[in-house]
Amino acid sequence: MSDLLGSILSSMQKPPSVNSERNKLLQKQKKIIEKQQAALKAKLNSFREKIEKVMNEFIQDPSKQNHKFSPMDKVYRNIIHEVADIAGLCAYAFGEEEIDRYVMVFKKEYSPSEEELNAYRNGEEWDPVKAKELALQREKDKLEEIDTTKKRKLEVEPASNYAVKYEKLLGRDAGIAAARIATPNKQFGFVPSEQKKDQRSIEQTLADIQAKKKLKKNNEAVDSTNETS
């Protein structure tokens, strides 16, 4: 009996250890991850091949200047940017991330202007005819503004040609003579120096002032003496 029991126990497998079970679980998870990564890699490679085909057709079509892709995740947009760079195309992304962000590629000879890019960034459709009209209108407005500024400047500036001014009023000869009299003098303002009443020099004027002060003091001294006497 004991021999039978011993043989039965010896034939039974030992329970697996904790480490062994954990290793098996990790191996299983690793295989799942590797399988998922392989599937994703194959999917991305397939997507890349599709994009390369689309861009080749786009490049060979002379009637197309740009091509707009549908909104997609960032990982796919990165592939479009890479393929476009290799193909010599310009690629730009527009729209809001994780909502409607998409990529548009342009042939380099039809690279978009800053105004066109701003239109796409604002979610607007680009109309080259309308854009040209707006550019012409802006240029027209600019020229009108310059013309208006010049007119205002002319209105503000005073007339300085006195000969012409007086010629219209008094005739040529009399006008020229009057202009000579009214020509501004840089030192004395608008009154000619020869018309000044006081023709004395500065030194003479100072001497006269000193003499007047001295005479005034003498008179005051005499008056004071008379009052005390």
Side-chain angles (χ1 to χ4, degrees), residues 18-201:
V18 176
N19 289 336
S20 177
E21 285 293 329
R22 186 169 180 273
N23 288 336
K24 286 182 179 180
L25 181 61
L26 291 175
Q27 289 294 328
K28 185 177 180 180
Q29 290 177 345
K30 183 179 179 181
K31 288 181 179 179
I32 293 173
I33 293 173
E34 289 176 349
K35 187 176 180 180
Q36 291 175 344
Q37 289 177 342
L40 178 60
K41 185 177 180 180
K43 185 178 181 180
L44 294 178
N45 287 336
S46 176
F47 177 79
R48 187 184 187 93
E49 291 175 359
K50 178 182 176 182
I51 294 301
E52 289 175 348
K53 182 180 178 181
V54 171
M55 288 198 184
N56 284 332
E57 292 175 354
F58 165 64
I59 292 172
Q60 294 173 10
D61 189 344
S63 64
K64 289 187 177 181
Q65 300 179 6
N66 57 61
H67 180 81
K68 179 181 177 180
F69 290 92
S70 59
M72 59 188 68
D73 293 337
K74 187 175 182 179
V75 63
Y76 297 106
R77 297 199 308 270
N78 288 340
I79 293 176
I80 295 177
H81 282 286
E82 290 176 4
V83 176
D85 186 57
I86 294 172
L89 301 173
C90 301
Y92 299 89
F94 307 102
E96 192 172 349
E97 190 67 55
E98 297 183 358
I99 296 179
D100 60 352
R101 196 158 181 81
Y102 65 93
V103 176
M104 183 179 287
V105 294
F106 300 81
K107 294 178 181 178
K108 284 199 171 180
E109 58 268 30
Y110 300 108
S111 296
S113 64
E114 192 62 30
E115 291 181 347
E116 184 175 356
L117 292 175
N118 287 333
Y120 294 129
R121 289 169 184 148
N122 295 329
E124 302 171 357
E125 290 295 331
W126 173 250
D127 187 346
V129 176
K130 184 178 179 181
K132 187 176 181 180
E133 292 175 354
L134 290 174
L136 291 174
Q137 184 62 42
R138 282 195 295 269
E139 186 66 22
K140 182 180 177 181
D141 294 341
K142 184 178 179 181
L143 292 174
E144 289 179 354
E145 184 179 353
I146 293 173
D147 187 54
T148 302
T149 303
K150 287 182 178 179
K151 288 181 179 179
R152 288 177 181 173
K153 189 176 180 181
L154 291 174
E155 291 174 358
V156 172
E157 289 180 351
S160 58
N161 193 339
Y162 293 98
V164 175
K165 178 180 177 182
Y166 285 104
E167 181 180 344
K168 292 180 180 179
L169 296 174
L170 306 174
R172 180 174 178 79
D173 295 336
I176 294 175
R180 291 198 188 99
I181 297 173
T183 300
N185 186 292
K186 292 183 179 179
Q187 183 175 359
F188 296 102
F190 284 88
V191 181
S193 58
E194 59 270 13
Q195 293 183 8
K196 295 286 185 179
K197 291 182 179 180
D198 195 345
Q199 300 292 331
R200 296 175 298 171
S201 64

